[in-house]
Amino acid sequence: MTPPFIPRRPRWRNLVLLAIVLVPLLWPLEQLATRYYTNELLEQNRQTLDLYVANLLGSLRRYEVLPRILGDLPALREALYAADEPRARDSANRLLKRLRHETGADVIYLMEPGGDTLAASNWDDADSFVGRNFAFRPYFRQALAGRLGRFFGLGTTSGKRGYYFASAVRDGNRIIGVVVVKIDLDHTEMLWGNTPAQLLVTDHYGVVILTSKPEWRFRATRAMDAEEREQLAFDQPYPTRETKDLTLDLTAWLIQSRELKETGWTVRILAPTTQVERPVRTVVAIGATVLVALLLWVGLLMQRRRHFVDRIAMEAKARQDLEQRVQARTQDLQALNERLKDEVLEREHAQQELVRAQDELLQAGKLSALGTMSASISHELNQPLAAIRSYADNARVLLDHQRNEDARANLQLISELTGRMASIIAHLRAFARRDRHAPERVALQPAIDDALALLAKRRQAMGVELIRDLPDATLWVQAGETRLRQVLSNLLANALDALAERPLPRRIRLSASQHEEGVTLSLHDNGPGFSAEALGRAREPFFTTKTSAQGLGLGLAICDTLIRALGGELSLGNHPDGGALVSLTLRWADQGRAFPNEDYLQ
């Protein structure tokens, strides 16, 4: 009987052999990780270095041209010409102090050719530069040589670090003085913050002048010869003449540098190598963990396979659940889309209803204004009718007495009165109908006369004085006969309403001004004027300062709508002398165009 086949048991020595083969692979992994993280850190530090360099150069270039500009100021030149006059020096001191506050410089001062300071922005401080001699400074010598002086150093008076710009003040080819601007670089150094990477700036002597690590400041990064030490002793840029060396373990830093040619400085950023070593150790640890996991995976292959099958089943179930959720979400989105469509249709319907309501509101305003004016129009018609009756009775008597010429004259007067009545009735009929014509060429003065005629009875009854300041030549504007008269009638009626509660004298002034775009008609009354609330809401429909029996609050809203439809503008305000000021701006009519509806009242 053949025994059943029994698989061979895995041998531990095979795992040991596999480990011996795989462990040496950790060394190239460490080398690759070191190279990768080193390049990453170098690139990051390069960008940081570019940012720091740009910030430093921006701070310097901001003040580079300032000394040349200040050298042309009359007050500073006067101080140089009249150095013995206290008034001129005081004026220069105060000017420099004001300029210091406006520019943000640390100190600005003016020196005579001998090196003595005549005026300074810190003239009233305890450490004032006035009267001090700085001829030993390199920036002064460079400025006297006709160049832009540059120098970094520690102030001998203030003890503060700064960068100096100096420029000569010239009178023709003669140098009469030097203007110096000192910049405080402490703020720039503070912006570097506290980061693992260290930043330092060295001058052309190799001395650290700016750094994010205070203990490195004013330390030398290289050896200096005797000539350089002698020059340092003369210029005095540092707090000590004997600078200490900066000793660094170069193997502990990744160093990148950038030279600034215009200043002779070198900017360096130093990143500790620990920033590379930490992630490299992490990568090696991960590699070792992966190696151990791989060895364990070989020993637990069968169990891992069972887990793999279970995971496939779980993924299938998860995929089915995901499909169900996607389907449910799709149905929700479809329902939401339908609701959005319904809302869009409802909004379009509401927009149409709004347009129709606005149209009805405009016509309602017309009819409301028509009802308001009907009383005054009836007075206008009663007067011609009474006159016609009187002239007709006189004509009958004259005919009985054979006075034909006098009777003919009475009949002529009756004809003129009927023409006036027809004009009033025609205007009333045109005002009541909907006017949707395009802008026409309309004469402004006749339209004003018609509007005044409608309100003449009321104006005279109120004792309102009318002042007309209109040109004799006809002003042709783009408007509509009916709409223009409606706007003018509403504006005049509002002016009369405003004057109703005012004691005599009552005045309305009409004036017109012509400009390139068109004509502006101004209506000024001596009433109470517009309140702040009325100016803000006057164009709103149904807003009124009158009682409900006096108006609906539609007049100005309708006028504004009509004027904007004609391409004009209605402005509301108060006159400086008191009272309301309403300005109506209309465009010029095109004289070369044929305008319709010239005789629409026929």
Side-chain angles (χ1 to χ4, degrees):
M1 183 176 184
T2 303
F5 174 76
I6 300 175
R8 295 177 59 185
R9 295 178 61 187
R11 298 182 180 181
W12 290 110
R13 65 180 182 180
N14 294 334
L15 290 177
V16 173
L17 292 175
L18 182 60
I20 293 174
V21 173
L22 295 179
V23 166
L25 296 178
L26 294 178
W27 183 82
L29 177 64
E30 180 184 9
Q31 297 300 315
L32 290 175
T34 301
R35 184 180 304 174
Y36 173 78
Y37 286 108
T38 300
N39 292 335
E40 285 290 316
L41 183 59
L42 290 175
E43 177 61 22
Q44 178 182 350
N45 288 344
R46 184 191 64 78
Q47 296 177 3
T48 304
L49 182 62
D50 291 341
L51 180 62
Y52 290 160
V53 168
N55 179 41
L56 181 60
L57 290 178
S59 300
L60 296 178
R61 290 170 180 170
R62 178 183 175 187
Y63 300 94
E64 187 174 1
V65 299
L66 187 59
R68 296 177 183 175
I69 298 174
L70 298 182
D72 294 330
L73 294 179
L76 300 186
R77 288 180 172 272
E78 183 180 358
L80 291 172
Y81 292 139
D84 297 333
E85 294 187 12
R87 182 191 59 81
R89 298 178 66 175
D90 182 68
S91 176
N93 282 329
R94 296 181 184 278
L95 174 62
L96 292 177
K97 185 172 183 177
R98 178 169 58 85
L99 291 174
R100 172 189 173 273
H101 287 293
E102 292 177 355
T103 60
D106 187 31
V107 184
I108 306 175
Y109 50 101
L110 178 67
M111 303 171 63
E112 62 180 5
D116 291 332
T117 303
L118 293 178
S121 61
N122 60 355
W123 61 276
D124 55 349
D125 294 341
D127 55 351
S128 172
F129 289 1
V130 176
R132 297 181 180 271
N133 189 288
F134 299 108
F136 64 93
R137 287 295 197 183
Y139 60 77
F140 180 76
R141 299 194 300 272
Q142 295 167 5
L144 287 182
R147 304 191 305 273
L148 175 65
R150 296 172 175 269
F151 178 69
F152 172 88
L154 200 69
T156 57
T157 302
S158 63
K160 295 173 57 177
R161 292 175 298 164
Y163 194 82
Y164 298 80
F165 286 108
S167 178
V169 182
R170 297 178 178 272
D171 183 4
N173 294 326
R174 185 169 62 93
I175 296 178
I176 62 175
V178 174
V179 177
V180 184
V181 176
K182 179 183 178 182
I183 309 167
D184 184 5
L185 295 180
D186 288 345
H187 179 68
T188 302
E189 190 179 64
M190 291 172 59
L191 292 178
W192 294 344
N194 186 14
T195 59
Q198 302 298 329
L199 196 75
L200 59 87
V201 179
T202 58
D203 59 9
H204 60 283
Y205 294 113
V207 177
V208 178
I209 56 177
L210 297 174
T211 177
S212 57
K213 204 173 183 62
E215 54 267 27
W216 292 357
R217 191 174 299 140
F218 299 120
R219 289 181 178 269
T221 59
R222 65 175 177 84
M224 287 181 283
D225 55 26
E227 182 180 354
E228 290 177 332
R229 293 186 180 278
E230 182 180 354
Q231 186 65 39
L232 286 177
F234 183 77
D235 294 341
Q236 302 178 23
Y238 313 128
T240 177
R241 296 185 179 183
E242 296 296 331
T243 58
K244 297 181 179 180
D245 294 335
L246 177 64
T247 57
L248 295 176
D249 183 6
L250 298 182
T251 60
W253 302 92
L254 292 176
I255 304 176
Q256 292 174 272
S257 62
R258 181 72 52 80
E259 293 185 2
L260 306 182
K261 295 182 179 179
E262 55 189 278
T263 60
W265 294 353
T266 301
V267 184
R268 294 182 177 87
I269 186 169
L270 294 79
T273 56
T274 55
Q275 289 186 277
V276 176
E277 294 172 354
R278 282 195 298 267
V280 169
R281 286 196 296 267
T282 302
V283 170
V284 173
I286 293 174
T289 302
V290 171
L291 178 60
V292 172
L294 178 62
L295 295 175
L296 292 176
W297 178 79
V298 172
L300 302 174
L301 184 59
M302 295 303 297
Q303 184 177 0
R304 183 176 178 83
R305 180 176 178 83
R306 187 181 306 112
H307 290 166
F308 176 75
V309 172
D310 293 340
R311 188 174 62 183
I312 291 296
M314 292 176 59
E315 289 178 353
K317 187 176 182 303
R319 186 165 52 251
Q320 183 180 5
D321 294 342
L322 179 60
E323 291 176 354
Q324 292 176 352
R325 288 197 299 271
V326 169
Q327 184 177 3
R329 182 59 176 167
T330 302
Q331 293 176 352
D332 293 341
L333 290 176
Q334 290 176 349
L336 179 59
N337 191 25
E338 293 297 329
R339 288 198 299 272
L340 289 175
K341 288 181 179 179
D342 294 340
E343 291 178 1
V344 169
L345 292 176
E346 290 178 1
R347 183 163 185 174
E348 291 178 352
H349 179 70
Q351 187 70 22
Q352 295 173 358
E353 290 295 327
L354 176 61
V355 172
R356 185 177 61 81
Q358 289 176 341
D359 186 56
E360 293 298 332
L361 177 63
L362 180 62
Q363 186 63 14
K366 285 186 177 183
L367 296 179
S368 174
L370 180 62
T372 303
M373 292 188 298
S374 62
S376 60
I377 294 174
S378 65
H379 285 291
E380 293 293 331
L381 294 179
N382 285 336
Q383 291 178 357
L385 285 174
I388 288 172
R389 186 181 304 109
S390 176
Y391 288 140
D393 293 339
N394 290 339
R396 185 173 59 251
V397 174
L398 292 173
L399 289 175
D400 291 342
H401 290 81
Q402 301 299 319
R403 295 171 60 184
N404 295 334
E405 290 300 325
D406 293 336
R408 185 177 293 106
N410 278 10
L411 293 175
Q412 179 63 30
L413 293 174
I414 290 174
S415 176
E416 293 177 359
L417 289 172
T418 57
R420 179 182 176 188
M421 294 173 62
S423 175
I424 294 173
I425 294 173
H427 175 76
L428 180 61
R429 183 176 64 251
F431 183 80
R433 71 170 182 257
R434 299 174 186 264
D435 187 3
R436 294 183 179 272
H437 296 297
E440 311 164 7
R441 184 162 61 91
V442 179
L444 181 60
Q445 290 93 330
I448 296 174
D449 293 338
D450 287 351
L452 289 171
L454 288 174
L455 300 169
K457 189 72 174 181
R458 181 183 175 192
R459 180 177 63 80
Q460 294 170 1
M462 293 175 60
V464 177
E465 178 188 359
L466 178 64
I467 303 174
R468 295 169 60 103
D469 185 11
L470 303 174
D472 296 333
T474 302
L475 301 175
W476 295 93
V477 296
Q478 295 187 28
E481 291 280 359
T482 303
R483 287 177 284 184
L484 182 57
R485 283 166 173 75
Q486 179 184 358
V487 170
L488 294 174
S489 299
N490 270 323
L491 296 181
L492 287 168
N494 284 345
L496 292 176
D497 291 339
L499 294 172
E501 301 298 330
R502 180 178 178 84
L504 295 175
R506 301 167 178 163
R507 289 188 299 273
I508 293 179
R509 180 183 182 89
L510 286 171
S511 60
S513 61
Q514 307 176 50
H515 45 85
E516 185 177 352
E517 290 78 12
V519 177
T520 297
L521 176 65
S522 300
L523 189 151
H524 171 217
D525 62 64
N526 63 339
F530 291 104
S531 65
E533 181 185 12
L535 281 177
R537 302 183 56 192
R539 292 178 172 84
E540 296 181 11
F542 301 108
F543 173 78
T544 179
T545 57
K546 309 171 189 176
T547 62
S548 59
Q550 291 177 320
L552 296 174
L554 297 172
L556 287 179
I558 292 173
C559 291
D560 184 61
T561 301
L562 293 177
I563 292 303
R564 284 191 285 105
L566 295 172
E569 182 181 359
L570 180 64
S571 301
L572 307 176
N574 291 318
H575 198 275
D577 297 334
L581 176 63
V582 180
S583 299
L584 177 62
T585 301
L586 296 171
R587 295 181 296 176
W588 288 112
D590 186 1
Q591 297 293 338
R593 161 187 173 192
F595 292 89
N597 303 318
E598 290 285 348
D599 54 351
Y600 74 96
L601 289 177
Q602 301 298 326

